[in-house]
Amino acid sequence: MEKPTVRHVTDSRVLAALAHPLRRRLMDVLKVYGPCPVGLLAERTGQAPANVSHHLKVLAAADLVLEAPELTRDRRERWWRLRDPAVRWSNTDFDADPAARAVADAASSLNLDRHVALVRAWHAAPDEAHAAWGDGPFSTDKWLHLTPEELAQLSREVTDLFARWAERPAPDDGQRREPVFLFAHGIPGQP
Protein backbone atom coordinates (compact mmCIF):
# COMPACT_ATOMS: atom_id res chain seq x y z
CA MET A 1 0.00 0.00 0.00
CA GLU A 2 1.36 3.42 -0.99
CA LYS A 3 1.65 5.86 1.90
CA PRO A 4 -0.52 8.97 1.59
CA THR A 5 1.40 12.14 0.94
CA VAL A 6 1.84 14.82 3.54
CA ARG A 7 2.23 18.24 2.01
CA HIS A 8 5.01 20.29 3.58
CA VAL A 9 3.84 23.91 3.41
CA THR A 10 6.53 26.56 2.93
CA ASP A 11 4.34 29.33 1.49
CA SER A 12 2.92 31.72 4.10
CA ARG A 13 -0.05 32.49 1.80
CA VAL A 14 -1.12 28.84 2.12
CA LEU A 15 -0.84 29.05 5.91
CA ALA A 16 -2.81 32.32 5.89
CA ALA A 17 -5.64 30.52 4.07
CA LEU A 18 -5.49 27.66 6.56
CA ALA A 19 -5.34 29.95 9.61
CA HIS A 20 -9.08 30.51 9.88
CA PRO A 21 -11.35 28.53 12.23
CA LEU A 22 -14.02 27.66 9.64
CA ARG A 23 -11.52 26.77 6.96
CA ARG A 24 -9.74 24.53 9.47
CA ARG A 25 -13.07 22.83 10.24
CA LEU A 26 -13.86 22.40 6.54
CA MET A 27 -10.51 20.69 6.06
CA ASP A 28 -11.30 18.41 9.02
CA VAL A 29 -14.73 17.49 7.63
CA LEU A 30 -13.18 16.62 4.27
CA LYS A 31 -10.46 14.61 6.02
CA VAL A 32 -12.97 12.62 8.09
CA TYR A 33 -15.78 12.13 5.56
CA GLY A 34 -14.03 12.43 2.21
CA PRO A 35 -15.34 14.49 -0.70
CA CYS A 36 -18.54 16.41 0.11
CA PRO A 37 -20.91 18.79 -1.63
CA VAL A 38 -21.21 22.35 -0.32
CA GLY A 39 -24.61 21.63 1.24
CA LEU A 40 -23.27 18.76 3.34
CA LEU A 41 -20.24 20.80 4.40
CA ALA A 42 -22.60 23.60 5.44
CA GLU A 43 -24.73 21.15 7.42
CA ARG A 44 -21.74 19.57 9.18
CA THR A 45 -20.27 22.94 10.15
CA GLY A 46 -23.54 24.76 10.94
CA GLN A 47 -22.76 27.46 8.36
CA ALA A 48 -24.67 28.98 5.45
CA PRO A 49 -23.81 27.39 2.07
CA ALA A 50 -22.74 30.79 0.69
CA ASN A 51 -20.25 31.21 3.56
CA VAL A 52 -18.91 27.70 3.04
CA SER A 53 -18.55 28.34 -0.71
CA HIS A 54 -16.57 31.52 -0.03
CA HIS A 55 -14.15 29.74 2.31
CA LEU A 56 -13.77 26.79 -0.08
CA LYS A 57 -12.74 29.25 -2.80
CA VAL A 58 -10.06 30.64 -0.46
CA LEU A 59 -8.83 27.11 0.26
CA ALA A 60 -8.88 26.29 -3.45
CA ALA A 61 -6.88 29.44 -4.30
CA ALA A 62 -4.28 28.19 -1.78
CA ASP A 63 -4.36 24.77 -3.48
CA LEU A 64 -5.55 23.05 -0.30
CA VAL A 65 -8.83 21.72 -1.74
CA LEU A 66 -9.95 20.77 -5.24
CA GLU A 67 -13.32 20.56 -6.90
CA ALA A 68 -14.51 17.01 -7.56
CA PRO A 69 -16.75 17.46 -10.64
CA GLU A 70 -16.88 13.70 -11.27
CA LEU A 71 -19.08 13.37 -8.17
CA THR A 72 -21.60 16.03 -9.25
CA ARG A 73 -25.10 14.76 -9.98
CA ASP A 74 -26.51 18.03 -11.34
CA ARG A 75 -25.16 21.36 -12.58
CA ARG A 76 -25.95 23.25 -9.37
CA GLU A 77 -24.07 20.87 -7.07
CA ARG A 78 -20.35 21.39 -6.33
CA TRP A 79 -18.28 18.72 -4.60
CA TRP A 80 -14.92 19.33 -2.95
CA ARG A 81 -12.02 17.16 -1.78
CA LEU A 82 -8.69 17.67 -0.05
CA ARG A 83 -5.69 18.07 -2.33
CA ASP A 84 -3.50 16.19 0.15
CA PRO A 85 -4.51 13.95 3.06
CA ALA A 86 -2.41 16.01 5.46
CA VAL A 87 -0.41 19.23 5.65
CA ARG A 88 2.42 20.16 7.93
CA TRP A 89 4.78 23.06 8.36
CA SER A 90 7.70 24.12 10.48
CA ASN A 91 7.60 27.65 11.83
CA THR A 92 11.37 27.82 11.38
CA ASP A 93 10.87 27.65 7.59
CA PHE A 94 9.52 31.21 7.87
CA ASP A 95 12.25 32.73 10.07
CA ALA A 96 13.74 34.82 7.23
CA ASP A 97 10.58 36.91 6.85
CA PRO A 98 8.99 38.37 10.02
CA ALA A 99 5.57 38.75 8.35
CA ALA A 100 5.62 35.15 7.12
CA ARG A 101 6.75 33.97 10.57
CA ALA A 102 3.81 35.82 12.14
CA VAL A 103 1.47 33.96 9.77
CA ALA A 104 3.09 30.62 10.65
CA ASP A 105 2.82 31.40 14.37
CA ALA A 106 -0.86 32.31 13.94
CA ALA A 107 -1.54 29.09 12.03
CA SER A 108 0.18 27.04 14.74
CA SER A 109 -1.78 28.84 17.45
CA LEU A 110 -5.08 28.27 15.65
CA ASN A 111 -4.17 24.61 15.18
CA LEU A 112 -3.51 24.20 18.90
CA ASP A 113 -6.73 26.07 19.76
CA ARG A 114 -8.64 23.63 17.52
CA HIS A 115 -7.03 20.63 19.24
CA VAL A 116 -7.83 21.95 22.71
CA ALA A 117 -11.41 22.86 21.70
CA LEU A 118 -12.05 19.30 20.52
CA VAL A 119 -10.75 17.87 23.80
CA ARG A 120 -12.80 20.36 25.83
CA ALA A 121 -15.93 19.48 23.81
CA TRP A 122 -15.39 15.82 24.71
CA HIS A 123 -15.06 16.65 28.40
CA ALA A 124 -18.31 18.65 28.20
CA ALA A 125 -20.17 15.81 26.45
CA PRO A 126 -23.10 14.20 28.27
CA ASP A 127 -22.52 11.32 30.69
CA GLU A 128 -24.19 8.94 28.21
CA ALA A 129 -21.46 9.62 25.64
CA HIS A 130 -18.74 9.03 28.23
CA ALA A 131 -20.41 5.79 29.32
CA ALA A 132 -20.67 4.58 25.71
CA TRP A 133 -16.93 5.02 25.14
CA GLY A 134 -15.90 3.53 28.50
CA ASP A 135 -12.16 3.58 29.14
CA GLY A 136 -11.25 4.26 25.49
CA PRO A 137 -10.67 8.02 25.60
CA PHE A 138 -7.34 8.83 27.19
CA SER A 139 -4.82 11.49 28.00
CA THR A 140 -1.19 10.85 28.67
CA ASP A 141 1.92 12.89 29.13
CA LYS A 142 5.53 12.18 29.96
CA TRP A 143 8.59 14.25 30.71
CA LEU A 144 11.57 12.82 28.82
CA HIS A 145 15.22 13.80 28.54
CA LEU A 146 16.00 13.86 24.81
CA THR A 147 18.35 15.33 22.26
CA PRO A 148 16.85 17.15 19.25
CA GLU A 149 17.63 14.07 17.15
CA GLU A 150 15.88 11.76 19.61
CA LEU A 151 12.80 14.00 19.63
CA ALA A 152 12.78 13.89 15.82
CA GLN A 153 12.96 10.08 15.95
CA LEU A 154 10.13 9.93 18.48
CA SER A 155 8.10 12.26 16.24
CA ARG A 156 8.55 9.90 13.28
CA GLU A 157 7.58 6.87 15.38
CA VAL A 158 4.42 8.53 16.76
CA THR A 159 3.48 9.82 13.31
CA ASP A 160 3.97 6.34 11.83
CA LEU A 161 1.83 4.81 14.58
CA PHE A 162 -0.99 7.29 13.88
CA ALA A 163 -0.65 6.62 10.14
CA ARG A 164 -0.89 2.83 10.62
CA TRP A 165 -4.17 3.25 12.49
CA ALA A 166 -5.49 5.81 10.02
CA GLU A 167 -4.64 3.69 6.97
CA ARG A 168 -5.78 0.31 8.27
CA PRO A 169 -8.81 -1.15 6.53
CA ALA A 170 -11.83 -1.14 8.82
CA PRO A 171 -12.74 -4.70 9.76
CA ASP A 172 -15.99 -5.97 8.29
CA ASP A 173 -17.40 -6.93 11.68
CA GLY A 174 -20.68 -4.98 11.61
CA GLN A 175 -19.55 -2.54 14.30
CA ARG A 176 -20.09 1.17 13.81
CA ARG A 177 -16.91 3.24 13.91
CA GLU A 178 -17.12 6.91 14.88
CA PRO A 179 -14.55 9.62 14.10
CA VAL A 180 -11.97 9.83 16.88
CA PHE A 181 -9.61 12.79 17.19
CA LEU A 182 -6.11 12.00 18.39
CA PHE A 183 -3.23 14.41 18.78
CA ALA A 184 0.18 14.52 20.40
CA HIS A 185 2.69 17.27 20.96
CA GLY A 186 6.33 16.77 21.76
CA ILE A 187 8.02 20.04 22.64
CA PRO A 188 10.99 21.16 24.71
CA GLY A 189 9.77 22.66 27.97
CA GLN A 190 10.38 23.14 31.65
CA PRO A 191 8.07 21.77 34.39
mmCIF file of all heavy atoms in Angstrom, residues 3-7 85-88 150-168 182-186:
data_model
loop_
_atom_site.group_PDB
_atom_site.id
_atom_site.type_symbol
_atom_site.label_atom_id
_atom_site.label_comp_id
_atom_site.label_asym_id
_atom_site.label_seq_id
_atom_site.Cartn_x
_atom_site.Cartn_y
_atom_site.Cartn_z
ATOM 1 N N LYS A 3 1.946 4.938 0.802
ATOM 2 C CA LYS A 3 1.649 5.863 1.901
ATOM 3 C C LYS A 3 1.054 7.156 1.358
ATOM 4 O O LYS A 3 1.522 7.691 0.361
ATOM 5 C CB LYS A 3 2.925 6.201 2.658
ATOM 6 C CG LYS A 3 3.211 5.297 3.794
ATOM 7 C CD LYS A 3 4.288 5.903 4.652
ATOM 8 C CE LYS A 3 4.085 5.402 6.051
ATOM 9 N NZ LYS A 3 5.028 5.933 6.982
ATOM 10 N N PRO A 4 0.017 7.684 2.019
ATOM 11 C CA PRO A 4 -0.523 8.972 1.591
ATOM 12 C C PRO A 4 0.531 10.063 1.739
ATOM 13 O O PRO A 4 1.382 9.992 2.614
ATOM 14 C CB PRO A 4 -1.696 9.225 2.540
ATOM 15 C CG PRO A 4 -1.913 7.983 3.298
ATOM 16 C CD PRO A 4 -0.691 7.128 3.146
ATOM 17 N N THR A 5 0.438 11.051 0.883
ATOM 18 C CA THR A 5 1.403 12.138 0.945
ATOM 19 C C THR A 5 1.017 13.149 2.007
ATOM 20 O O THR A 5 -0.156 13.380 2.264
ATOM 21 C CB THR A 5 1.509 12.848 -0.418
ATOM 22 O OG1 THR A 5 0.222 13.368 -0.750
ATOM 23 C CG2 THR A 5 1.983 11.910 -1.507
ATOM 24 N N VAL A 6 2.023 13.718 2.605
ATOM 25 C CA VAL A 6 1.845 14.822 3.541
ATOM 26 C C VAL A 6 2.495 16.027 2.876
ATOM 27 O O VAL A 6 3.682 16.002 2.556
ATOM 28 C CB VAL A 6 2.506 14.532 4.906
ATOM 29 C CG1 VAL A 6 2.401 15.742 5.810
ATOM 30 C CG2 VAL A 6 1.876 13.305 5.551
ATOM 31 N N ARG A 7 1.710 17.044 2.664
ATOM 32 C CA ARG A 7 2.226 18.239 2.009
ATOM 33 C C ARG A 7 2.971 19.089 3.021
ATOM 34 O O ARG A 7 2.422 19.457 4.060
ATOM 35 C CB ARG A 7 1.071 19.022 1.410
ATOM 36 C CG ARG A 7 1.511 20.292 0.721
ATOM 37 C CD ARG A 7 0.331 20.949 0.095
ATOM 38 N NE ARG A 7 0.661 22.222 -0.494
ATOM 39 C CZ ARG A 7 -0.246 23.058 -0.935
ATOM 40 N NH1 ARG A 7 -1.520 22.740 -0.877
ATOM 41 N NH2 ARG A 7 0.117 24.209 -1.447
ATOM 42 N N PRO A 85 -3.878 14.458 1.837
ATOM 43 C CA PRO A 85 -4.514 13.949 3.058
ATOM 44 C C PRO A 85 -4.059 14.658 4.328
ATOM 45 O O PRO A 85 -4.746 14.633 5.331
ATOM 46 C CB PRO A 85 -4.133 12.473 3.085
ATOM 47 C CG PRO A 85 -2.995 12.327 2.150
ATOM 48 C CD PRO A 85 -3.052 13.460 1.180
ATOM 49 N N ALA A 86 -2.904 15.310 4.270
ATOM 50 C CA ALA A 86 -2.405 16.008 5.458
ATOM 51 C C ALA A 86 -1.459 17.125 5.024
ATOM 52 O O ALA A 86 -0.837 17.048 3.969
ATOM 53 C CB ALA A 86 -1.673 15.039 6.380
ATOM 54 N N VAL A 87 -1.386 18.153 5.857
ATOM 55 C CA VAL A 87 -0.415 19.227 5.646
ATOM 56 C C VAL A 87 0.377 19.408 6.928
ATOM 57 O O VAL A 87 -0.124 19.132 8.022
ATOM 58 C CB VAL A 87 -1.075 20.574 5.242
ATOM 59 C CG1 VAL A 87 -1.772 20.457 3.910
ATOM 60 C CG2 VAL A 87 -2.024 21.074 6.302
ATOM 61 N N ARG A 88 1.589 19.849 6.769
ATOM 62 C CA ARG A 88 2.424 20.158 7.934
ATOM 63 C C ARG A 88 3.324 21.314 7.565
ATOM 64 O O ARG A 88 3.526 21.607 6.391
ATOM 65 C CB ARG A 88 3.219 18.949 8.391
ATOM 66 C CG ARG A 88 4.271 18.481 7.414
ATOM 67 C CD ARG A 88 5.023 17.274 7.934
ATOM 68 N NE ARG A 88 5.519 17.513 9.260
ATOM 69 C CZ ARG A 88 6.790 17.522 9.604
ATOM 70 N NH1 ARG A 88 7.718 17.278 8.710
ATOM 71 N NH2 ARG A 88 7.166 17.758 10.838
ATOM 72 N N GLU A 150 16.771 12.751 19.010
ATOM 73 C CA GLU A 150 15.881 11.756 19.615
ATOM 74 C C GLU A 150 14.424 12.205 19.550
ATOM 75 O O GLU A 150 13.530 11.387 19.296
ATOM 76 C CB GLU A 150 16.298 11.487 21.065
ATOM 77 C CG GLU A 150 17.604 10.732 21.183
ATOM 78 C CD GLU A 150 18.146 10.708 22.602
ATOM 79 O OE1 GLU A 150 17.855 11.643 23.400
ATOM 80 O OE2 GLU A 150 18.883 9.748 22.911
ATOM 81 N N LEU A 151 14.170 13.497 19.750
ATOM 82 C CA LEU A 151 12.805 13.999 19.633
ATOM 83 C C LEU A 151 12.301 13.835 18.196
ATOM 84 O O LEU A 151 11.150 13.453 17.978
ATOM 85 C CB LEU A 151 12.708 15.462 20.079
ATOM 86 C CG LEU A 151 11.309 16.078 20.032
ATOM 87 C CD1 LEU A 151 10.308 15.289 20.867
ATOM 88 C CD2 LEU A 151 11.360 17.529 20.480
ATOM 89 N N ALA A 152 13.164 14.091 17.219
ATOM 90 C CA ALA A 152 12.776 13.894 15.818
ATOM 91 C C ALA A 152 12.453 12.427 15.551
ATOM 92 O O ALA A 152 11.484 12.112 14.845
ATOM 93 C CB ALA A 152 13.883 14.386 14.888
ATOM 94 N N GLN A 153 13.227 11.504 16.121
ATOM 95 C CA GLN A 153 12.965 10.076 15.952
ATOM 96 C C GLN A 153 11.625 9.705 16.600
ATOM 97 O O GLN A 153 10.819 8.986 16.013
ATOM 98 C CB GLN A 153 14.085 9.237 16.548
ATOM 99 C CG GLN A 153 13.835 7.739 16.429
ATOM 100 C CD GLN A 153 14.918 6.898 17.084
ATOM 101 O OE1 GLN A 153 15.966 7.404 17.473
ATOM 102 N NE2 GLN A 153 14.657 5.614 17.208
ATOM 103 N N LEU A 154 11.392 10.193 17.813
ATOM 104 C CA LEU A 154 10.127 9.932 18.484
ATOM 105 C C LEU A 154 8.964 10.479 17.661
ATOM 106 O O LEU A 154 7.926 9.823 17.512
ATOM 107 C CB LEU A 154 10.133 10.544 19.890
ATOM 108 C CG LEU A 154 8.858 10.375 20.711
ATOM 109 C CD1 LEU A 154 8.518 8.909 20.922
ATOM 110 C CD2 LEU A 154 8.994 11.099 22.043
ATOM 111 N N SER A 155 9.126 11.663 17.099
ATOM 112 C CA SER A 155 8.100 12.260 16.243
ATOM 113 C C SER A 155 7.763 11.338 15.079
ATOM 114 O O SER A 155 6.587 11.102 14.772
ATOM 115 C CB SER A 155 8.573 13.612 15.730
ATOM 116 O OG SER A 155 7.714 14.091 14.722
ATOM 117 N N ARG A 156 8.792 10.819 14.414
ATOM 118 C CA ARG A 156 8.554 9.903 13.280
ATOM 119 C C ARG A 156 7.824 8.640 13.730
ATOM 120 O O ARG A 156 6.920 8.154 13.049
ATOM 121 C CB ARG A 156 9.879 9.552 12.600
ATOM 122 C CG ARG A 156 10.474 10.702 11.797
ATOM 123 C CD ARG A 156 11.695 10.275 10.990
ATOM 124 N NE ARG A 156 12.802 9.817 11.830
ATOM 125 C CZ ARG A 156 13.725 10.613 12.359
ATOM 126 N NH1 ARG A 156 13.687 11.914 12.148
ATOM 127 N NH2 ARG A 156 14.699 10.111 13.100
ATOM 128 N N GLU A 157 8.208 8.095 14.887
ATOM 129 C CA GLU A 157 7.576 6.875 15.380
ATOM 130 C C GLU A 157 6.106 7.105 15.736
ATOM 131 O O GLU A 157 5.245 6.287 15.408
ATOM 132 C CB GLU A 157 8.346 6.323 16.580
ATOM 133 C CG GLU A 157 9.702 5.760 16.206
ATOM 134 C CD GLU A 157 10.501 5.296 17.412
ATOM 135 O OE1 GLU A 157 9.909 5.071 18.498
ATOM 136 O OE2 GLU A 157 11.740 5.155 17.268
ATOM 137 N N VAL A 158 5.806 8.216 16.405
ATOM 138 C CA VAL A 158 4.422 8.528 16.763
ATOM 139 C C VAL A 158 3.601 8.788 15.498
ATOM 140 O O VAL A 158 2.480 8.293 15.350
ATOM 141 C CB VAL A 158 4.351 9.729 17.739
ATOM 142 C CG1 VAL A 158 2.924 10.222 17.909
ATOM 143 C CG2 VAL A 158 4.945 9.340 19.091
ATOM 144 N N THR A 159 4.174 9.539 14.568
ATOM 145 C CA THR A 159 3.480 9.825 13.309
ATOM 146 C C THR A 159 3.204 8.536 12.546
ATOM 147 O O THR A 159 2.111 8.346 11.999
ATOM 148 C CB THR A 159 4.310 10.809 12.451
ATOM 149 O OG1 THR A 159 4.493 12.016 13.205
ATOM 150 C CG2 THR A 159 3.624 11.134 11.145
ATOM 151 N N ASP A 160 4.175 7.630 12.505
ATOM 152 C CA ASP A 160 3.972 6.344 11.826
ATOM 153 C C ASP A 160 2.893 5.513 12.518
ATOM 154 O O ASP A 160 2.096 4.856 11.848
ATOM 155 C CB ASP A 160 5.282 5.549 11.768
ATOM 156 C CG ASP A 160 6.292 6.129 10.777
ATOM 157 O OD1 ASP A 160 5.903 6.987 9.941
ATOM 158 O OD2 ASP A 160 7.471 5.728 10.845
ATOM 159 N N LEU A 161 2.862 5.540 13.844
ATOM 160 C CA LEU A 161 1.827 4.810 14.579
ATOM 161 C C LEU A 161 0.442 5.357 14.231
ATOM 162 O O LEU A 161 -0.485 4.595 13.926
ATOM 163 C CB LEU A 161 2.069 4.916 16.093
ATOM 164 C CG LEU A 161 1.006 4.299 16.984
ATOM 165 C CD1 LEU A 161 0.933 2.790 16.785
ATOM 166 C CD2 LEU A 161 1.262 4.648 18.440
ATOM 167 N N PHE A 162 0.287 6.679 14.254
ATOM 168 C CA PHE A 162 -0.989 7.292 13.884
ATOM 169 C C PHE A 162 -1.370 6.903 12.456
ATOM 170 O O PHE A 162 -2.523 6.583 12.167
ATOM 171 C CB PHE A 162 -0.922 8.816 13.996
ATOM 172 C CG PHE A 162 -1.000 9.360 15.402
ATOM 173 C CD1 PHE A 162 -0.749 8.598 16.521
ATOM 174 C CD2 PHE A 162 -1.316 10.695 15.592
ATOM 175 C CE1 PHE A 162 -0.817 9.130 17.794
ATOM 176 C CE2 PHE A 162 -1.395 11.248 16.863
ATOM 177 C CZ PHE A 162 -1.133 10.458 17.970
ATOM 178 N N ALA A 163 -0.382 6.944 11.550
ATOM 179 C CA ALA A 163 -0.649 6.616 10.143
ATOM 180 C C ALA A 163 -1.094 5.169 9.997
ATOM 181 O O ALA A 163 -2.014 4.880 9.214
ATOM 182 C CB ALA A 163 0.595 6.889 9.298
ATOM 183 N N ARG A 164 -0.473 4.247 10.708
ATOM 184 C CA ARG A 164 -0.895 2.829 10.621
ATOM 185 C C ARG A 164 -2.352 2.664 11.008
ATOM 186 O O ARG A 164 -3.105 1.947 10.360
ATOM 187 C CB ARG A 164 -0.007 1.960 11.519
ATOM 188 C CG ARG A 164 1.277 1.533 10.879
ATOM 189 C CD ARG A 164 1.936 0.350 11.577
ATOM 190 N NE ARG A 164 2.007 0.419 13.027
ATOM 191 C CZ ARG A 164 2.962 1.055 13.708
ATOM 192 N NH1 ARG A 164 3.915 1.704 13.071
ATOM 193 N NH2 ARG A 164 2.959 1.040 15.020
ATOM 194 N N TRP A 165 -2.777 3.341 12.068
ATOM 195 C CA TRP A 165 -4.173 3.246 12.490
ATOM 196 C C TRP A 165 -5.096 3.942 11.498
ATOM 197 O O TRP A 165 -6.197 3.477 11.221
ATOM 198 C CB TRP A 165 -4.343 3.821 13.896
ATOM 199 C CG TRP A 165 -4.019 2.801 14.937
ATOM 200 C CD1 TRP A 165 -2.796 2.559 15.490
ATOM 201 C CD2 TRP A 165 -4.921 1.868 15.517
ATOM 202 N NE1 TRP A 165 -2.884 1.533 16.393
ATOM 203 C CE2 TRP A 165 -4.192 1.095 16.437
ATOM 204 C CE3 TRP A 165 -6.278 1.612 15.369
ATOM 205 C CZ2 TRP A 165 -4.764 0.065 17.188
ATOM 206 C CZ3 TRP A 165 -6.857 0.610 16.118
ATOM 207 C CH2 TRP A 165 -6.102 -0.152 17.010
ATOM 208 N N ALA A 166 -4.660 5.067 10.960
ATOM 209 C CA ALA A 166 -5.491 5.813 10.017
ATOM 210 C C ALA A 166 -5.654 5.075 8.687
ATOM 211 O O ALA A 166 -6.709 5.160 8.052
ATOM 212 C CB ALA A 166 -4.899 7.197 9.765
ATOM 213 N N GLU A 167 -4.634 4.349 8.276
ATOM 214 C CA GLU A 167 -4.639 3.688 6.973
ATOM 215 C C GLU A 167 -5.162 2.260 7.016
ATOM 216 O O GLU A 167 -5.370 1.653 5.971
ATOM 217 C CB GLU A 167 -3.211 3.697 6.397
ATOM 218 C CG GLU A 167 -2.682 5.084 6.139
ATOM 219 C CD GLU A 167 -1.163 5.106 5.992
ATOM 220 O OE1 GLU A 167 -0.537 4.034 5.913
ATOM 221 O OE2 GLU A 167 -0.614 6.223 5.972
ATOM 222 N N ARG A 168 -5.364 1.707 8.192
ATOM 223 C CA ARG A 168 -5.782 0.312 8.265
ATOM 224 C C ARG A 168 -7.187 0.157 7.705
ATOM 225 O O ARG A 168 -8.042 1.026 7.892
ATOM 226 C CB ARG A 168 -5.721 -0.197 9.702
ATOM 227 C CG ARG A 168 -6.943 0.145 10.541
ATOM 228 C CD ARG A 168 -6.769 -0.183 11.993
ATOM 229 N NE ARG A 168 -7.972 -0.318 12.751
ATOM 230 C CZ ARG A 168 -8.970 0.527 12.845
ATOM 231 N NH1 ARG A 168 -8.967 1.630 12.142
ATOM 232 N NH2 ARG A 168 -10.011 0.296 13.610
ATOM 233 N N LEU A 182 -7.278 12.370 17.610
ATOM 234 C CA LEU A 182 -6.113 12.004 18.386
ATOM 235 C C LEU A 182 -5.002 12.989 18.055
ATOM 236 O O LEU A 182 -4.777 13.289 16.888
ATOM 237 C CB LEU A 182 -5.704 10.586 17.985
ATOM 238 C CG LEU A 182 -4.560 9.921 18.712
ATOM 239 C CD1 LEU A 182 -4.911 9.695 20.180
ATOM 240 C CD2 LEU A 182 -4.251 8.579 18.057
ATOM 241 N N PHE A 183 -4.354 13.527 19.053
ATOM 242 C CA PHE A 183 -3.225 14.409 18.784
ATOM 243 C C PHE A 183 -2.162 14.233 19.848
ATOM 244 O O PHE A 183 -2.426 13.760 20.945
ATOM 245 C CB PHE A 183 -3.647 15.872 18.642
ATOM 246 C CG PHE A 183 -3.945 16.600 19.917
ATOM 247 C CD1 PHE A 183 -3.033 17.506 20.438
ATOM 248 C CD2 PHE A 183 -5.149 16.421 20.580
ATOM 249 C CE1 PHE A 183 -3.309 18.207 21.600
ATOM 250 C CE2 PHE A 183 -5.443 17.121 21.734
ATOM 251 C CZ PHE A 183 -4.510 18.016 22.248
ATOM 252 N N ALA A 184 -0.949 14.589 19.477
ATOM 253 C CA ALA A 184 0.176 14.524 20.399
ATOM 254 C C ALA A 184 1.092 15.694 20.095
ATOM 255 O O ALA A 184 1.191 16.129 18.950
ATOM 256 C CB ALA A 184 0.940 13.220 20.215
ATOM 257 N N HIS A 185 1.695 16.213 21.111
ATOM 258 C CA HIS A 185 2.692 17.269 20.957
ATOM 259 C C HIS A 185 3.940 16.825 21.693
ATOM 260 O O HIS A 185 3.836 16.278 22.791
ATOM 261 C CB HIS A 185 2.194 18.587 21.566
ATOM 262 C CG HIS A 185 1.137 19.264 20.768
ATOM 263 N ND1 HIS A 185 1.409 20.172 19.788
ATOM 264 C CD2 HIS A 185 -0.198 19.127 20.789
ATOM 265 C CE1 HIS A 185 0.295 20.580 19.236
ATOM 266 N NE2 HIS A 185 -0.704 19.970 19.836
ATOM 267 N N GLY A 186 5.051 17.023 21.097
ATOM 268 C CA GLY A 186 6.331 16.766 21.760
ATOM 269 C C GLY A 186 7.169 18.020 21.622
ATOM 270 O O GLY A 186 7.613 18.335 20.525
#
